[in-house]
Amino acid sequence: MVEITKSYIPAGTPARPGYPMDPTGVTIHNTGSSASAKNHMLYMTQNGGFNASTSYHFVIDDIDCFQLLPLDENGWHAGDGALGAGNRKTIAIEVCECGDIKKAHDRAAELTASLLKQIGGTAQHNVFQHAQWMAKDCPRLLRSGRPYSWSTFLDKVAKFMKTDAAVPKKDPIKIPEAAAGSVHRLYSGADHLYTQSRKEAQYLADSGWKYEGVGWIAPTDGDPVWRLYSGKTHLFTADPVEKTRLLSIGWKDEGQAFVSGGSRPIYRMYNPHSGEHLLTASLKEHDAATKAGWRCEGQEIRY
């Protein structure tokens, strides 16, 4: 078990935004410097690092591990915007590049496994590279095969999850009965999915997706809305031309998701940093996402 020393970034500073977070994953970084975990901790908590809008939850090397933020607060680490999934839904671990880097990464894998046991999820689906949120070569050591590959790191996380001491799990989520036509909304930490199938929603919730409730009530008659999958994220469209174009470049057709029809809009939002899409019937959420850098791609889906 990795011993953790808590030394929090001062509250109210730019590096500690304090937005509440219910984490759904872990993002791995390399520090990009030769400084130790202790020196990084001192910089962030005492020597001015807290004055910049950059922060992370843990910094770890071959000797020490410091926690700088509570797990229920977000950090600014992913570069995917104020509402991006990396910043707002994942715990950040900075792995130092000093000393015994193999031991440091082994310890980071053990820490990651412990965190996944607390928040739910798996090594394959809930552990991310910083590079998955923005165009940056990070974690640069693992991405270059030092001290081993990214796939080896994930394998180590999975093994630690089997051998690490048990951590109490969250109570299982039970998807409630909902009105006919209800579109359930779920979030993996990197992908939004919408389904009218309560059975599918329950399966995803049991697999670690966060259930975010019913997004809207879809009509029984109207135009089909198709669900497409890129291999990383889902996209929903009522435009047959867009569907044909995406299928031609390799997207998978997962069938009709629901029906579009009515006078009220569903806003389709796009995050250019992470590549994920969001559907929302809430103008307030649309406005907040726009302010955070998301783009509205239209209102073709209606209810």
Side-chain angles (χ1 to χ4, degrees), residues 84-251:
N87 279 331
R88 297 299 289 270
K89 289 292 184 178
T90 68
I91 298 166
I93 299 176
E94 288 277 358
V95 188
C96 293
E97 302 183 15
C98 61
D100 185 339
I101 62 169
K102 181 180 183 301
K103 184 177 179 181
H105 285 81
D106 287 349
R107 282 162 50 80
E110 186 175 6
L111 173 61
T112 301
S114 178
L115 292 169
L116 288 178
K117 283 195 168 190
Q118 295 179 58
I119 67 175
T122 67
Q124 292 297 326
H125 295 101
N126 300 87
V127 183
F128 307 97
Q129 299 182 29
H130 183 189
Q132 290 174 251
W133 304 118
M134 67 174 296
K136 184 174 183 179
D137 185 23
C138 181
R140 66 176 188 168
L141 295 186
L142 288 172
R143 288 169 59 83
S144 65
R146 296 179 291 161
Y148 36 69
S149 67
W150 176 251
S151 61
T152 298
F153 179 80
L154 294 182
D155 288 343
K156 286 177 178 284
V157 173
K159 289 178 181 178
F160 276 122
M161 291 187 73
K162 294 178 181 178
T163 60
D164 196 13
V167 176
K169 295 183 178 180
K170 294 180 179 180
D171 292 335
I173 299 295
K174 182 175 175 59
I175 304 301
E177 295 283 353
S182 294
V183 178
H184 301 281
R185 172 171 157 168
L186 298 105
Y187 185 56
S188 70
D191 184 24
H192 288 90
L193 187 135
Y194 306 85
T195 178
Q196 287 189 299
S197 168
R198 182 169 173 262
K199 182 177 180 180
E200 182 180 34
Q202 186 65 64
Y203 172 79
L204 292 172
D206 292 341
S207 301
W209 289 60
K210 181 182 178 183
Y211 181 63
E212 296 185 332
V214 172
W216 66 93
I217 307 295
T220 55
D221 297 314
D223 298 320
V225 177
W226 295 283
R227 186 170 106 181
L228 306 175
Y229 184 56
S230 69
K232 180 181 177 182
T233 62
H234 286 87
L235 180 142
F236 295 78
T237 182
D239 182 353
V241 174
E242 182 178 43
K243 175 190 175 185
T244 299
R245 179 178 62 81
L246 291 175
L247 292 178
S248 72
I249 59 174
W251 286 63

Side-chain angles (χ1 to χ4, degrees), residues 74 76 78-90 133 187 189 271 273-274 276 292 294:
N74 82 299
W76 296 139
D80 62 344
L83 288 182
N87 279 331
R88 297 299 289 270
K89 289 292 184 178
T90 68
W133 304 118
Y187 185 56
N271 186 329
H273 300 288
S274 66
E276 63 185 301
W294 292 59

